[in-house]
């Protein structure tokens, strides 16, 4: 079965905040350095300059940086340098295009004017700097995810969770958390899938995840927690996600964050 792509709301808010901050700085610089310019033009120029960096930094942080972390150091350094140069050139071209397009909207004609003088090396320098910062941020976040995954999955051999008492329509049912195949969100409730039964619990996914801390369970999606040794196969599902097949035959599609978690604990 297929699952919708999980959108990280915090990440979206963070990127929008970064874009607003960069645009504000650009607008202020234009107002202070350009003669006879109003707030409207300064804001438009600012968005044309900041927009490409914000949008292009997302795949650097979310997709490219984790792949660089998995490569050997010489290859990672070379790939990172090429990526930063490509980022700087693409961001420069996108800014030129957007500025030409914004002017064309008002004048009914698009005139492309490339940066000249000190503006050109400055554009390349800031593009390279933004690209390098985005890659470093992505690597840092990937290291944090790996450390978090290692801490949440690896547990002492003697640690064993107590049996759960699950309230159902038929009464209270005791279950062993080690027998859980997966847990699926069901509105404000959770659907606990066992090898031979499925129970509906009144606690939510966050409470289930907290109860399973220290055991071999992975939050592969906002709506799915799976037992790691119940995973039979995990195959690419596109867009950085994985299709996970479980021991009971169930299939689900992870989020990109969940796919990174699965890969980080794989040997």
């Amino acid at each position: 079965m297929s699952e919708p792509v999980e959108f990280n709301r915090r990440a979206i808010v963070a990127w929008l905040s970064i874009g607003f901050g960069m645009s504000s700085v650009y607008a202020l610089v234009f107002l202070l350095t350009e003669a006879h310019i109003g707030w409207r033009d300064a804001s438009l120029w600012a968005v044309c300059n900041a927009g490409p960096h914000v949008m292009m930094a997302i795949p650097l942080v979310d997709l490219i940086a984790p792949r660089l972390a998995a490569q050997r150091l010489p290859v990672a350094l070379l790939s990172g340098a090429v990526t930063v140069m490509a980022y700087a050139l693409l961001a420069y071209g996108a800014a030129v295009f957007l500025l030409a397009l914004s002017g064309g909207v008002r004048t009914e004609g698009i005139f492309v004017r490339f940066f000249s003088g000190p503006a050109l090396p400055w554009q390349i320098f800031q593009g390279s700097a933004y690209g390098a910062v985005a890659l470093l941020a992505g690597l840092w976040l990937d290291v944090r995810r790996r450390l978090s995954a290692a801490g949440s999955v690896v547990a002492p051999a003697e640690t064993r969770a107590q049996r759960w008492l699950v309230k159902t329509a038929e009464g209270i049912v005791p279950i062993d958390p080690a027998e859980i195949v997966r847990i699926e969100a069901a509105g404000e409730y959770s659907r606990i899938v066992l090898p031979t039964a499925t129970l509906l619990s009144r606690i939510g996914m966050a409470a289930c995840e907290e109860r399973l801390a220290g055991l071999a369970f992975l939050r592969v999606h906002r709506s799915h927690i799976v037992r790691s040794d119940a995973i039979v196969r995990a195959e690419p599902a596109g867009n950085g996600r994985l299709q996970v097949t479980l021991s009971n035959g169930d299939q689900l599609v992870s989020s990109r964050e969940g796919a990174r978690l699965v890969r980080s604990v794989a040997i």
Side-chain angles (χ1 to χ4, degrees):
M1 67 180 177
S2 61
E3 297 288 342
V5 177
E6 178 184 12
F7 292 96
N8 191 325
R9 294 182 180 180
R10 290 184 179 180
I12 293 175
V13 171
W15 283 115
L16 291 176
S17 300
I18 292 172
F20 178 78
M22 288 182 63
S23 299
S24 300
V25 172
Y26 272 113
L28 181 61
V29 170
F30 290 141
L31 286 171
L32 295 176
T33 58
E34 297 288 338
H36 309 296
I37 186 174
W39 273 102
R40 179 181 177 182
D41 285 340
S43 299
L44 183 61
W45 291 5
V47 171
C48 291
N49 279 272
H53 291 295
V54 175
M55 296 304 298
M56 291 174 57
I58 296 176
L60 259 68
V61 171
D62 205 32
L63 298 176
I64 297 178
R67 287 173 170 78
L68 291 181
Q71 297 176 354
R72 291 181 298 174
L73 182 59
V75 177
L77 291 176
L78 179 60
S79 301
V82 172
T83 299
V84 168
M85 288 188 291
Y87 172 92
L89 293 175
L90 288 174
Y92 168 70
V96 170
F97 173 76
L98 289 176
L99 288 169
L101 183 63
S102 64
V105 171
R106 291 179 297 172
T107 62
E108 297 182 356
I110 298 178
F111 177 74
V112 178
R113 184 180 65 181
F114 295 93
F115 291 92
S116 59
L120 177 57
W122 169 251
Q123 286 289 327
I124 300 300
F125 168 76
Q126 73 171 2
S128 301
Y130 289 152
V133 169
L135 278 182
L136 291 175
L139 290 171
W140 177 68
L141 291 173
D142 187 64
V143 169
R144 287 191 58 186
R145 282 190 291 264
R146 290 173 183 270
L147 293 175
S148 176
S152 63
V153 174
V154 177
E158 65 273 16
T159 299
R160 183 173 180 86
Q162 296 179 349
R163 295 172 71 85
W164 288 11
L165 299 177
V166 182
K167 294 180 180 179
T168 67
E170 291 76 22
I172 298 177
V173 179
I175 65 171
D176 184 349
E179 296 179 353
I180 297 174
V181 177
R182 66 183 178 93
I183 301 177
E184 178 183 1
E188 297 181 356
Y189 298 88
S190 298
R191 188 174 291 111
I192 302 174
V193 180
L194 303 170
T196 58
T198 299
L199 305 177
L200 187 66
S201 172
R202 295 183 179 181
I203 64 174
M205 294 292 285
C208 287
E209 188 174 23
E210 183 178 350
R211 285 172 176 259
L212 293 169
L215 297 178
F217 284 83
L218 303 173
R219 184 77 177 264
V220 299
H221 191 278
R222 181 181 55 190
S223 301
H224 294 286
I225 300 173
V226 303
R227 197 177 80 245
S228 60
D229 57 359
I231 297 176
V232 175
R233 185 170 58 256
E235 302 171 315
N239 198 26
R241 298 172 296 161
L242 291 174
Q243 178 171 292
V244 180
T245 302
L246 302 175
S247 57
N248 66 343
D250 287 352
Q251 291 185 326
L252 55 92
V253 177
S254 73
S255 64
R256 287 181 294 180
E257 186 77 17
R260 291 195 198 97
L261 183 59
V262 174
R263 293 188 180 102
S264 68
V265 299
I267 60 173

